[in-house]
Amino acid sequence: SNHDYFEGRPYIDRYIYRIIPDEATTFLELQTQGVDMSLLTPLQFIRQTNNVFFKRYYNKFRYPSFGFTYMGYNLSDPKFQDVRVRQAINYAVNKVEIIDTVFFGLAKPTTGPFMLDSWAYNKDVRGVPYDPSEAKRLLKEAGWADADGDGCVEKDGKIFEFTVLVNQGNAERIRCAELIQKYLKDVGIRMKIRVIEWSSLINEFINKRRFEAVLIGWFLSRDPDCYDIWHSSKTREGEFNFIGYKNDSADKLLEEGRRTFDLTKRGAIYHKIHKLIYEDQPYLFLYSQDTLPIVNSRFKGIESSPIGIGYNFIK
């Protein structure tokens, strides 16, 4: 630590950062006090740390995360180019059940590309209810129907099937994908799941557009400018609009939003963007998971805030 730092010397002399790729191993390290600070899974937060040992040696915190999880479609794939298909999938997936069963309630459903507690988030945009019958109606309207009674919808002689990619090491996302697989099967869509190591997922599949759908998340800036994620000029290899979303109205609003300084006017712009993107459904917006850090109780002065617990780390 720099004892001559202009805000005063940090109270902690040294910080050792360990990379442990497995959640179970990290939890074992917490049990032996091999690490002082880590993030918990919802299961660990609710059940596995609710005992005398963890109450004595650790403090737990909970606050909204800075991002959201979604299933993004490759919009160059003909299966996903009809907005009615994307809307049907939105009706087919039970987000509330996912939150209750996978996250034990420690998450909230989301409907747009901003943080839930952000002034840019349009709270007037209500998520559609879980409604498999409406999903089937929209699929039929888009030309997908189960003509031969085999439980799968078809169009032009081809059944509706696709593979979703999920990153290795994130058990919650994999369980979420398994539930989505079940929901879609109920409306006649066959979804396969492929789990891929993170760097390979990004470099070999997402950046090169070698996917049909991908289940991942965004960790967002406190500023709501999302030009790089949604503007149609950002679809080249290695850029963030890897699903290939293109909407002229959204482009104009994104450009206007990043050059407007009046907060009220800027908020109104992002509310329009939120509504427009949710109607287009280029993502299946799923949930915003709570952040669940745990810290050894020998550290004092930790205060949770809207920006987490790290903002006053040096104290």
Side-chain angles (χ1 to χ4, degrees):
S1 62
N2 178 9
H3 288 203
D4 298 319
Y5 184 58
F6 77 96
E7 289 188 322
R9 65 150 291 183
Y11 291 0
I12 295 170
D13 286 322
R14 186 168 65 154
Y15 182 88
I16 301 168
Y17 198 101
R18 293 178 59 193
I19 297 172
I20 305 173
D22 180 69
E23 292 173 349
T25 305
T26 305
F27 190 68
L28 287 173
E29 290 284 356
L30 286 169
Q31 290 176 308
T32 59
Q33 298 189 70
V35 294
D36 290 305
M37 180 179 180
S38 182
L39 291 176
L40 296 175
T41 67
L43 176 63
Q44 292 166 352
F45 188 91
I46 292 292
R47 294 182 180 173
Q48 295 176 340
T49 54
N50 193 22
N51 55 49
V52 173
F53 172 82
F54 278 100
K55 288 178 180 178
R56 178 179 178 183
Y57 292 109
Y58 290 95
N59 291 315
K60 297 188 293 185
F61 301 88
R62 175 189 175 188
Y63 48 85
S65 74
F66 301 160
F68 62 90
T69 296
Y70 63 93
M71 185 167 76
Y73 310 107
N74 187 335
L75 297 177
S76 65
D77 189 318
K79 291 190 295 293
F80 300 116
Q81 288 177 348
D82 191 325
V83 67
R84 292 170 295 186
V85 168
R86 304 193 299 269
Q87 290 170 344
I89 293 173
N90 192 27
Y91 275 104
V93 174
N94 191 338
K95 293 91 173 174
V96 174
E97 187 172 72
I98 288 173
I99 288 168
D100 288 343
T101 57
V102 178
F103 297 97
F104 301 90
L106 301 178
K108 294 180 178 65
T110 183
T111 61
F114 307 109
M115 288 179 290
L116 283 170
D117 61 346
S118 167
W119 48 267
Y121 192 90
N122 189 344
K123 293 180 173 59
D124 292 331
V125 177
R126 302 293 181 183
V128 301
Y130 170 58
D131 190 342
S133 61
E134 177 64 9
K136 290 177 181 178
R137 187 192 70 77
L138 284 165
L139 285 170
K140 189 173 183 179
E141 192 177 288
W144 294 95
D146 183 9
D148 56 8
D150 65 351
C152 295
V153 294
E154 304 99 14
K155 184 179 182 180
D156 300 327
K158 295 182 179 179
I159 66 170
F160 196 145
E161 63 178 349
F162 69 95
T163 298
V164 64
L165 308 183
V166 190
N167 63 291
Q168 188 178 35
N170 192 312
E172 286 78 25
R173 282 185 192 162
I174 294 170
R175 286 198 288 270
C176 177
E178 289 169 348
L179 283 171
I180 294 173
Q181 183 182 53
K182 171 190 172 295
Y183 300 138
L184 295 188
K185 182 181 178 182
D186 291 342
V187 299
I189 297 175
R190 184 182 297 169
M191 186 185 92
K192 301 174 184 176
I193 301 168
R194 185 177 177 189
V195 181
I196 300 175
E197 187 271 331
W198 178 256
S199 61
S200 179
L201 175 65
I202 298 298
N203 297 320
E204 297 302 320
F205 293 91
I206 289 178
N207 285 348
K208 295 180 180 178
R209 311 295 192 272
R210 293 172 52 215
F211 67 92
E212 293 174 293
V214 60
L215 202 161
I216 51 175
W218 282 116
F219 188 84
L220 302 171
S221 162
R222 297 303 293 183
D223 187 272
D225 176 27
C226 51
Y227 180 96
D228 285 338
I229 299 175
W230 297 105
H231 198 274
S232 64
S233 67
K234 294 295 180 177
T235 58
R236 293 184 293 270
E237 183 172 332
E239 294 187 314
F240 291 154
N241 186 359
F242 50 80
I243 62 168
Y245 179 66
K246 296 178 182 179
N247 183 302
D248 291 341
S249 297
D251 280 354
K252 290 175 184 175
L253 288 166
L254 289 163
E255 292 161 13
E256 191 179 349
R258 61 175 11 197
R259 61 172 177 247
T260 300
F261 292 90
D262 182 284
L263 199 63
T264 302
K265 292 179 180 177
R266 196 168 179 231
I269 291 167
Y270 287 121
H271 285 186
K272 290 178 183 176
I273 291 171
H274 185 151
K275 185 173 185 292
L276 182 62
I277 289 176
Y278 188 70
E279 289 171 352
D280 274 350
Q281 283 292 303
Y283 288 176
L284 170 65
F285 292 95
L286 291 166
Y287 55 82
S288 179
Q289 182 181 349
D290 289 346
T291 301
L292 307 170
I294 186 168
V295 187
N296 196 296
S297 57
R298 67 192 181 94
F299 295 99
K300 313 299 179 187
I302 298 172
E303 297 175 1
S304 182
S305 79
I307 57 171
I309 62 171
Y311 69 97
N312 69 337
F313 177 75
I314 66 168
K315 300 300 182 185

